[in-house]
């Protein structure tokens, strides 16, 4: 993080003076990225290696997250669970992200952003070791919390790094496109394995990729891991006070909360759709499990394509305008999915819906890097991520609980409501192109 500027940083709906920011950050922060208020990082060889590590980090996360929708029917039947009981997996994931959000500011001062990235990769790898042997459901559910804790420590710092690279909007599109690419590969591989054998053997795949992710992160960010002390000598008590001041300054930012609400609804809609669409097609549309399992891959494949193809047009024609258009289109596509009882039509609508939702995440992060003060971006992104994961865990869990009482057809009105509220929430996010030139990248 860059040093605190001497002038006030003007935001769209609020301003913050340097007197409101944590005073220790300017002297003791560990620089992992050039952010929007400083010079972007050139694409040197070390930066390219770090970008490759970030890409693998998000591919690994996408593979893990995307596979659950395809495996969900098998998990329900293997453990003899009701739809409401699967909510424990989503609850564990939320708790993992919550712990990460609470500890990230302090942990960053102790081990640096590089340390967070490496530790997050290690946690995800360890969690996969407890999955491929079909453990008791309690153990299996807890692994979702450990994976989420790993993602919660790794992804905000990786995002902060990528947002500080020259041409960050393109790199963010590529990084998050690889998350969606992992989300495409996950259900394809999971369905192929589960339909011909033991569903749990799929987890050998993320175990291997997790090991590679851990190794590459350890190599790429080894120069930004600081064990036990930061760039200036501080006592543990002073580090704790610094972390608390940073968190306090972050939660006062209206822009952080507006983006958090948007991501809360966005990720809630996406994970609910990807997680429950296969069960919906099996139960409500009478689809064959071995065939409709690939529909989850269609959604994630559309998302991957959208992130790669729509990132540049969205940036050039205006983030605010383009995401509003994409959001309205997603609501229309979801209505067709709901009202037309045809599996082929449903699969096509799901794929196109994933496509138009594709650029949302990377664009939201890019906007956040322009409207959140530089000194608070790491903690701000961490808070945004935990709110996003709260939606990504809460709404699929709520869908499962409701489905346990009235049936999985509850998915459709849930998605219409989430997507509609998502569009409305985006309208309240400040437009970075209307901010003062001092607060955004040129």
């Amino acid at each position: 993080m860059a040093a605190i500027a001497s002038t006030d940083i003007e935001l769209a709906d609020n301003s913050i003076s340097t007197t409101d920011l944590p005073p220790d950050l300017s002297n003791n922060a560990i620089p992992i990225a050039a952010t929007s208020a400083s010079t972007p990082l050139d694409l040197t060889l070390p930066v390219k290696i770090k970008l490759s590590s970030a890409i693998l980090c998000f591919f690994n996360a996408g593979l893990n997250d995307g596979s659950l929708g395809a495996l969900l029917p098998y998990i329900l039947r293997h453990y003899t669970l009701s739809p409401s009981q699967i909510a424990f997996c989503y609850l564990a994931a939320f708790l993992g992200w919550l712990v990460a959000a609470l500890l990230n500011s302090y942990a960053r001062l102790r081990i640096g952003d590089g340390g967070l990235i490496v530790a997050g990769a290690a946690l995800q790898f360890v969690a996969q070791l407890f999955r491929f042997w079909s453990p008791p459901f309690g153990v299996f559910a807890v692994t979702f919390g450990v994976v989420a804790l790993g993602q919660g420590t790794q992804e905000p710092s990786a995002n902060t790094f990528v947002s500080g690279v020259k041409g960050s909007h393109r790199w963010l599109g590529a990084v998050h496109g690889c998350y969606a690419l992992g989300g495409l590969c996950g259900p394809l591989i999971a369905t192929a394995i589960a339909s011909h054998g033991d569903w749990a053997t799929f987890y050998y795949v993320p175990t291997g990729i997790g090991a590679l992710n851990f190794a590459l992160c350890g190599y790429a960010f080894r120069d930004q891991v600081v064990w036990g002390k930061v760039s200036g000598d501080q006592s543990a008590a002073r580090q704790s006070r610094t972390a608390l001041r940073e968190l306090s300054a972050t939660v006062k930012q209206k822009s952080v909360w507006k983006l958090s609400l948007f991501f809360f609804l966005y990720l809630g809609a996406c994970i609910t759709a990807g997680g429950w669409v296969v069960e919906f097609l099996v139960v409500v549309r009478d689809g064959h499990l071995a065939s409709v399992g690939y529909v989850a891959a269609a959604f994630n494949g559309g998302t991957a394509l959208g992130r790669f193809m729509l990132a540049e047009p969205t940036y050039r024609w205006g983030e605010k305008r383009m995401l509003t258009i994409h959001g309205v289109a997603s609501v229309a596509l979801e209505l067709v999915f709901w009202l037309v009882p045809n599996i082929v039509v449903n699969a096509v609508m799901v794929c196109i819906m994933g496509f138009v939702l594709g650029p949302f995440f990377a664009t939201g992060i890019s906007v956040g890097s322009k409207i959140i003060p530089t000194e608070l971006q790491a903690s701000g992104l961490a808070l945004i991520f935990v709110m996003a994961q709260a939606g990504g865990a809460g709404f699929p869990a709520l869908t499962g609980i409701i489905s346990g009482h009235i049936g999985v057809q509850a998915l459709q009105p849930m998605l219409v409501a989430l997507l509609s509220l998502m569009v409305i929430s985006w309208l309240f996010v400040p437009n970075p192109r209307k901010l003062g030139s001092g607060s955004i990248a040129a």
Side-chain angles (χ1 to χ4, degrees):
M1 290 181 287
I4 300 174
S6 60
T7 57
D8 290 355
I9 302 171
E10 299 294 332
L11 301 182
D13 53 358
N14 61 318
S15 60
I16 177 170
S17 170
T18 58
T19 58
D20 298 324
L21 294 173
D24 294 329
L25 293 180
S26 59
N27 297 323
N28 296 316
I30 298 170
I32 191 170
T35 49
S36 57
S38 59
T39 305
L41 294 172
D42 292 323
L43 293 177
T44 61
L45 180 59
V47 171
K48 290 179 181 178
I49 295 175
K50 288 180 171 68
L51 284 171
S52 300
S53 178
I55 286 172
L56 181 60
C57 154
F58 278 88
F59 178 84
N60 179 54
L63 185 81
N64 175 81
D65 297 348
S67 61
L68 181 58
L71 293 176
L72 186 62
Y74 298 95
I75 295 171
L76 290 172
R77 288 154 182 79
H78 175 82
Y79 290 111
T80 318
L81 303 174
S82 68
S84 58
Q85 289 174 304
I86 202 68
F88 287 109
C89 294
Y90 292 109
L91 176 61
F94 168 67
L95 292 176
W97 277 92
L98 179 61
V99 171
L102 294 174
L103 296 181
N104 271 357
S105 293
Y106 178 76
R108 188 180 305 111
L109 294 173
R110 298 291 295 176
I111 62 176
D113 280 286
L116 285 175
I117 291 173
V118 176
L123 285 168
Q124 292 173 75
F125 171 62
V126 169
Q128 300 297 348
L129 297 176
F130 290 87
R131 286 181 166 179
F132 54 76
W133 44 277
S134 301
F137 178 68
V139 175
F140 183 71
V142 168
T143 64
F144 284 84
V146 179
V147 167
L149 178 60
Q151 292 178 351
T153 55
Q154 184 179 49
E155 292 180 13
S157 292
N159 260 302
T160 302
F161 171 77
V162 176
S163 67
V165 175
K166 185 176 292 184
S168 61
H169 67 282
R170 298 183 184 93
W171 285 109
L172 284 167
V175 165
H176 291 282
C178 285
Y179 173 89
L181 189 61
L184 168 63
C185 295
L188 286 175
I189 299 172
T191 300
I193 292 175
S195 61
H196 294 89
D198 182 9
W199 62 271
T201 58
F202 160 76
Y203 285 108
Y204 283 111
V205 177
T207 299
I209 296 176
L212 180 60
N213 177 45
F214 179 38
L216 183 56
C217 286
Y219 176 77
F221 291 95
R222 67 191 185 283
D223 59 329
Q224 291 171 310
V225 178
V226 183
W227 297 109
K229 66 177 183 178
V230 291
S231 55
D233 292 333
Q234 295 187 89
S235 66
R238 189 180 180 190
Q239 289 176 351
S240 298
R241 289 194 298 270
T242 300
L244 287 174
R245 283 193 290 267
E246 180 183 350
L247 182 60
S248 176
T250 300
V251 299
K252 293 177 182 177
Q253 294 297 303
K254 294 180 181 179
S255 298
V256 169
W257 289 109
K258 290 177 180 179
L259 268 174
S260 294
L261 177 60
F262 165 71
F263 277 109
F264 176 75
L265 296 165
Y266 166 75
L267 206 62
C270 287
I271 295 184
T272 299
W276 285 100
V277 63
V278 175
E279 185 71 4
F280 174 84
L281 292 176
V282 170
V283 175
V284 178
R285 299 289 196 245
D286 297 320
H288 186 259
L289 180 55
S291 300
V292 299
Y294 293 101
V295 176
F299 177 77
N300 290 311
T303 302
L305 197 62
R307 288 182 176 179
F308 286 116
M309 294 185 62
L310 297 179
E312 188 67 22
T314 299
Y315 175 77
R316 289 187 177 276
W317 295 337
E319 299 95 332
K320 191 80 172 181
R321 177 190 303 113
M322 293 305 296
L323 288 200
T324 302
I325 294 172
H326 294 328
V328 172
S330 71
V331 176
L333 292 164
E334 166 55 29
L335 285 171
V336 176
F337 177 25
W338 183 6
L339 299 175
V340 179
N342 182 283
I343 290 180
V344 175
V345 173
N346 293 167
V348 172
M349 292 301 103
V350 165
C351 181
I352 300 175
M353 185 166 64
F355 178 74
V356 298
L357 290 172
F360 276 62
F361 205 102
T363 300
I365 294 296
S366 180
V367 168
S369 71
K370 298 172 183 177
I371 66 176
I372 299 172
T374 302
E375 296 74 23
L376 302 178
Q377 283 185 18
S379 56
L381 288 176
L383 179 58
I384 289 169
F385 264 63
V386 77
M387 289 298 295
Q389 291 299 324
F395 288 114
L398 180 60
T399 301
I401 292 171
I402 296 174
S403 298
H405 292 85
I406 66 173
V408 75
Q409 59 267 26
L411 171 68
Q412 300 298 356
M414 176 71 76
L415 286 179
V416 171
L418 285 174
L419 292 169
S420 300
L421 291 172
M422 177 195 72
V423 175
I424 295 172
S425 70
W426 177 249
L427 298 177
F428 290 93
V429 175
N431 188 342
R433 303 195 179 199
K434 293 184 179 180
L435 301 181
S437 59
S439 61
I440 62 174

